[in-house]
Amino acid sequence: MPHSYSGKVALVTGGASGIGRATVERMLEDGDAVVAADLNAENGERLLSELSGPSREGRLIFVRTNVAEEADIAAAVTRAVDTFGRLDKLVNNAGLGGAFGPITEIDVDDWDYTFHVLVRGVYLGVKHGARAMIARGEGGAIVNVGSVAGLYGGGGPVAYSSAKAAVINFTRSVSLELAAHRIRVDAVCPGFIRTPLALGGGAGPDLSALQPWPDRGEPRDLADVIAFLCSDGSRFMTGTDIAVDGGLTAAGAQLASAPGNTLAKGVVGVNRGSTGERSLIRRKLGRDEIRK
Ligand SMILES: NC(=O)c1ccc[n+]([C@@H]2O[C@H](COP(=O)([O-])OP(=O)(O)OC[C@H]3O[C@@H](n4cnc5c(N)ncnc54)[C@H](O)[C@@H]3O)[C@@H](O)[C@H]2O)c1
């Protein structure tokens, strides 16, 4: 592998699972060199063994990264530049369900943990990714993964929904500053997508029951839109947020009332998603503690 890769170079956080992994796969198909950064080293090793075929030789790197730690994010960006010579595309995708339960019960550390991963992680990604792009002077594209939960109330737990709203307006705000450097910054807002987080991580209800479009959302549905936002085809787009949700937002669904949304009521805890770390139910509420 030459020091400076002739194609595009991408960094995808949360790249070892779900939407991130599908994005890594799509970018490899497009001929990019990709750095997948994720907290879950076991899934990272699986990613390398399953996606590093002969045609992708030397184009995929896994870096164990905690997006909430500045040194980790800086190191992942440095790894991309040192290995492939540049950074053209950055996808801030790492995420998890975070704190859940009634606001009167949520533990402050679980609230902070949620914001550290979902908001601080995106800010740190943009900070260090933009530095590398500005230093090279050829622009770039950044995509932050929000959620339909960040567009209105009732689409997810309170902490998660608030953090995703922050990601969406951070995207708009920082796009103003980075436009002068020809760095575009956009957000995608997934609806219900079949990933380990949505299906197994206790993230919340099966929102697809409320979705107008008949097919279930798959990680690849997001990866294709993210790839478009990182491509020249979207060269006049910046500061946008695009819902990729099978019409959920158009329907204005009452998401909290979706069948199976038991997490909104009756339990308090923190969902650590696909990180390999244990999610926790701290307490089950008594009947009179549950606010209807
Ligand atoms: N699946 C959905 O229905 C859905 C809906 C809306 C938004 N999203 C968002 O999409 C993004 C991807 O989620 P997914 O559904 O693919 O979930 P996933 O659990 O399959 O993948 C998320 C990845 O992020 C990694 N991660 C979590 N915390 C991290 C940290 N601190 N540092 C580095 N990596 C970390 C996990 O280890 C995991 O590999 C998240 O931001 C999520 O909030 C998903």
Side-chain angles (χ1 to χ4, degrees), residues 13-21 37-41 43 64-69 72-73 92-97 113 116-118 121-122 145-149 160 164 188-199 201 203 207 217 219 222 272-277:
T13 73
S17 178
I19 293 167
R21 183 179 156 134
D38 201 296
L39 194 60
N40 191 323
N43 283 346
R64 186 173 189 274
T65 305
N66 182 350
V67 294
E69 296 292 337
D72 279 20
I73 281 284
N92 290 304
N93 159 80
L96 29 68
Y113 168 74
H116 275 159
V117 177
L118 295 180
V122 173
V145 178
S147 170
V148 294
Y160 180 85
K164 289 299 190 180
V188 288
C189 295
F192 185 84
I193 308 300
R194 290 207 290 193
T195 68
L197 176 63
L199 296 175
L207 303 180
L222 264 297
R272 297 183 190 274
S274 305
T275 56
E277 297 172 354

Side-chain angles (χ1 to χ4, degrees), residues 188-229:
V188 288
C189 295
F192 185 84
I193 308 300
R194 290 207 290 193
T195 68
L197 176 63
L199 296 175
D206 182 349
L207 303 180
S208 60
L210 300 169
Q211 171 197 298
W213 194 257
D215 305 325
R216 296 287 194 89
E218 301 291 345
R220 180 70 184 216
D221 296 327
L222 264 297
D224 288 345
V225 176
I226 291 169
F228 166 69
L229 287 173

Side-chain angles (χ1 to χ4, degrees), residues 60-115:
L60 175 62
I61 289 177
F62 173 74
V63 185
R64 186 173 189 274
T65 305
N66 182 350
V67 294
E69 296 292 337
E70 183 158 22
D72 279 20
I73 281 284
V77 170
T78 299
R79 186 77 186 275
V81 173
D82 285 354
T83 311
F84 301 119
R86 58 192 294 151
L87 181 67
D88 303 291
K89 310 176 181 181
L90 168 64
V91 183
N92 290 304
N93 159 80
L96 29 68
F100 53 82
I103 193 67
T104 48
E105 303 294 332
I106 290 174
D107 191 288
V108 71
D109 289 337
D110 293 344
W111 180 276
D112 286 347
Y113 168 74
T114 310
F115 271 70

